[in-house]
Amino acid sequence: MIKQSQSSLKNTFFKSLICLIFIYLLGHLTPFLSVSSNSIILNLSFQTLAYAQEDEEDEEDEEDEEEDEEDGEESDDEEDLSYLTDIGPAADHEFEEFSFLDFSNRKLTWFAAQMHILFASFILGCPMFVVIMEVMGARRTQGVRKAIILSNVFLGVLIGVVIGITGEIIIGIHHGVLFGLWACAFGALIVSFLNYFHRLMNIRASAFVGAVFGALISLPLTPVEHYEVSAIILALVNGAVGGLLSNGIMFAKSDFKFERLAHEITKVIGICYSFTALTGGLFLFIMLVAYKDFITYLISSFPVLFMVAYPTLFILETVIMYIYVYSWDPLNKANKKGRHIVTGIFLNVFGLTLLMALDGPATFMQAPTKPLADLLTMGEWDKITTSIWMPLNYHRLVGNGTFGGYMVCIIGAYMYLWSDKKEEREYYDWVGYIGNIIGVAIMIPLPAMGYIFVAEIYRYDATIGMYIMSDRESMFMLVQGLLVGTMFSASNIYMWVSMKRIENAQRFFPAMKFGFVLIVISVTIWFTPRRFFATMLPEPGMNPDMVLPDNLAFLALMVSKNTAAFCLVTVTFINYIFYTIATKTGKVHYGKINPLGPYVLIFLGFSDIWLMSWMGTIRELSRMDWHIYKVFKDVTPEKFAPSLAESGFHVTVIVWTFFVLMTAIIWIGIKYPKTKPKETGPVQAAPQMAE
């Protein structure tokens, strides 16, 4: 009885803590609250905007006074329209203004673009691990083993990119991504090919062969001037990872639960693909109406991409997508599972190629290739391969994978709450566990991807970087940091809660509790307002409540924030290891998770949707009053970045719209087919299990 009372007290305290955190987040992130509230963020955003307007007025007054002194007379009544001509190389365009139902150009474009990107992130992120799940659920027939060779190479490319870019950031390896990509991919290829004929190698031999051959093949594919000891070590490590990976997947025991989960996710992907096309068409229509001059200039800058490459890739992806979705059962019945896996791999290849192609114009708008005077004679490929093109590709690749993992969390949580059968609840409890593992594992290197992207922006033009970090968008970055910290915290909370259904997992609880305290402290430091002045004095107009005491001013420096981010990632990684060890050494009682668990998963998915939308908002607004930075100026009334409150309100509308649509899609794609009455008829032969 005493233990039960203590447990109930702990659960009550834990739930109360979660409620307080949720209320705090609502007060600081939800823009539906009154503008006159005491929220620090809202007060600061409006005060900052007011001071910015005052500064602009003062600058205009000073300019008028100078003109009066020079001319010795009153200035003319004519309005100064010089800003309309200071529009970079693309000088010939007219004033643009359009509104529909009191929605301006920007808000309509904003809504359509982010809805399109959210659906696209889901259909590009999920297939990356859906194919791997299909492989894990398939019986190891000869056809499946052939397909596994390709799947291992594809997975090796993804993992090699992650390890390579992480090594490039931490150690400073030039072209570390290339060493990682080639070594991991070729290590996986060689080991998979050798083990295809017979199990020739164990785990240790696979690691050794993958390391040696992966490094030997990756070296000729990397520029000689970038050879160094650390780079060779990185290649050896990536090759070993590829060998271990291929060995583990090639001889893994098939589990039909992975086959079922992959099939259910694919049903949702098929529906979401239609919404992706619809929102993409809406976005294009709005751009053609509201920003016709700009879209004309952009298409004329990338004629081959928009007129040939993009339509071809889109058609191919669409065809392969529907072949993959609707050939699942027929190919299973025909014992041709390997062909279906290969189709999924090609789906991923075309999808990622399409992503990289569209990242070209996106990065060109933010950091066009220099010198800008040569844009008219510059080749299209040079315009695509800007300095931030590959960093954005890396960032979106990892971000889409994280997003897909947390959408699986939502699927598992919804279906767990909607299920009334014991077997179904056990299965969807396992689905939530798998989704959280995918989301956490891919999210851990995500800050590194964001770091290298921002670093390249600074190298291109420090003005953009300072605008993001310490100017108009500084508070936007604080909200982003809070969202990232919230997701890391929620992921660790779920691991803690779910471990209570694992036997003998209590031994990890003291360390996890200490880690949770470190996470809360790290998130608090990350949310500390950034001040870049050497004196660490408050900015003019800064809310006095946000001024740090002198003995705590160091918390606002980037050194402290980077340390907090490192602590956040490290603690999550350690808890992830604890979680994995607990599931391997103790029996997991699926279906008996704490009732808080599914709701934490839903909150995780919702937070990731918010984070994706907010990060896109920061990146797009960083161009300031330019459609294409220093090339094509925005001359609409909404050329300046909106306030934090206005942006938060619009993003919240987008997030809730997408969240409600995804809920409906999950219900239509998975829940409804299970609940509709089955038609009685002649008994048919049971379909064969996945090979």
Side-chain angles (χ1 to χ4, degrees), residues 212-463:
V212 174
F213 284 91
L216 291 176
I217 297 176
S218 66
L219 290 175
L221 298 173
T222 308
V224 179
E225 60 269 18
H226 298 298
Y227 287 1
E228 51 186 299
V229 176
S230 57
I232 296 174
I233 294 174
L234 179 65
L236 291 171
V237 171
N238 276 275
V241 170
L244 291 171
L245 187 76
S246 62
N247 184 280
I249 294 178
M250 179 69 76
F251 302 107
K253 185 179 180 181
S254 61
D255 189 347
F256 188 71
K257 289 190 296 185
F258 285 103
E259 165 78 10
R260 177 183 174 182
L261 176 57
H263 197 185
E264 290 181 344
I265 297 174
T266 303
K267 294 177 181 178
V268 178
I269 291 174
I271 302 174
C272 287
Y273 192 84
S274 301
F275 279 88
T276 305
L278 290 173
T279 52
L282 176 63
F283 171 63
L284 180 60
F285 174 77
I286 294 174
M287 290 292 293
L288 290 173
V289 175
Y291 299 99
K292 55 184 182 297
D293 287 345
F294 166 65
I295 199 67
T296 301
Y297 179 86
L298 193 64
I299 293 175
S300 64
S301 300
F302 301 92
V304 177
L305 175 62
F306 285 113
M307 306 302 289
V308 180
Y310 176 75
T312 303
L313 289 171
F314 179 76
I315 293 172
L316 289 174
E317 187 187 16
T318 303
V319 172
I320 296 175
M321 166 69 73
Y322 286 108
I323 291 176
Y324 185 74
V325 172
Y326 292 106
S327 66
W328 198 296
D329 291 331
L331 290 178
N332 274 3
K333 294 177 181 179
N335 291 326
K336 297 179 180 178
K337 187 64 174 176
R339 298 183 182 182
H340 192 264
I341 294 174
V342 173
T343 304
I345 294 171
F346 278 104
L347 173 63
N348 280 279
V349 171
F350 283 111
L352 294 178
T353 304
L354 186 61
L355 171 68
M356 295 176 65
L358 292 181
D359 281 345
T363 55
F364 177 77
M365 292 168 59
Q366 190 167 16
T369 308
K370 295 180 179 179
L372 302 181
D374 297 340
L375 287 179
L376 294 177
T377 59
M378 191 178 296
E380 189 169 346
W381 179 248
D382 294 329
K383 296 178 183 178
I384 292 176
T385 56
T386 63
S387 58
I388 64 173
W389 181 53
M390 288 307 298
L392 183 61
N393 291 332
Y394 301 145
H395 189 63
R396 280 187 166 176
L397 175 68
V398 178
N400 289 346
T402 304
F403 187 73
Y406 286 122
M407 291 302 101
V408 175
C409 288
I410 291 181
I411 293 174
Y414 274 153
M415 295 303 299
Y416 179 87
L417 296 173
W418 290 341
S419 301
D420 51 2
K421 296 181 180 179
K422 179 182 177 182
E423 295 80 8
E424 292 293 299
R425 292 175 68 87
E426 290 178 354
Y427 167 72
Y428 286 111
D429 187 10
W430 174 83
V431 170
Y433 155 73
I434 294 295
N436 184 65
I437 285 182
I438 296 173
V440 172
I442 304 178
M443 185 175 63
I444 287 176
L446 188 58
M449 309 301 171
Y451 172 83
I452 194 170
F453 178 69
V454 177
E456 288 296 332
I457 290 178
Y458 266 96
R459 292 190 185 100
Y460 177 83
D461 192 339
T463 303

Side-chain angles (χ1 to χ4, degrees), residues 390-532:
M390 288 307 298
L392 183 61
N393 291 332
Y394 301 145
H395 189 63
R396 280 187 166 176
L397 175 68
V398 178
N400 289 346
T402 304
F403 187 73
Y406 286 122
M407 291 302 101
V408 175
C409 288
I410 291 181
I411 293 174
Y414 274 153
M415 295 303 299
Y416 179 87
L417 296 173
W418 290 341
S419 301
D420 51 2
K421 296 181 180 179
K422 179 182 177 182
E423 295 80 8
E424 292 293 299
R425 292 175 68 87
E426 290 178 354
Y427 167 72
Y428 286 111
D429 187 10
W430 174 83
V431 170
Y433 155 73
I434 294 295
N436 184 65
I437 285 182
I438 296 173
V440 172
I442 304 178
M443 185 175 63
I444 287 176
L446 188 58
M449 309 301 171
Y451 172 83
I452 194 170
F453 178 69
V454 177
E456 288 296 332
I457 290 178
Y458 266 96
R459 292 190 185 100
Y460 177 83
D461 192 339
T463 303
I464 304 176
M466 297 302 295
Y467 185 79
I468 296 174
M469 301 299 295
S470 61
D471 200 336
R472 182 64 63 87
E473 290 194 325
S474 61
M475 295 303 298
F476 287 70
M477 290 297 295
L478 284 182
V479 175
Q480 176 185 321
L482 180 61
L483 287 170
V484 173
T486 301
M487 289 189 62
F488 273 101
S489 302
S491 295
N492 283 273
I493 290 173
Y494 176 78
M495 285 191 285
W496 188 6
V497 170
S498 61
M499 283 180 67
K500 294 183 177 181
R501 57 178 163 77
I502 304 175
E503 294 180 357
N504 300 321
Q506 294 82 2
R507 62 188 187 276
F508 298 113
F509 287 174
M512 295 185 71
K513 291 179 180 178
F514 178 73
F516 185 73
V517 173
L518 293 179
I519 288 175
V520 173
I521 295 174
S522 300
V523 174
T524 304
I525 295 174
W526 207 345
F527 191 59
T528 305
R530 295 172 174 86
R531 301 273 73 82
F532 285 87

Side-chain angles (χ1 to χ4, degrees), residues 90-109:
D92 297 328
H93 70 281
E94 300 176 353
F95 177 80
E96 302 165 343
E97 185 175 7
F98 174 80
S99 63
F100 178 75
L101 298 178
D102 295 330
F103 288 98
S104 59
N105 304 37
R106 167 179 283 174
K107 291 183 178 179
L108 286 172
T109 307

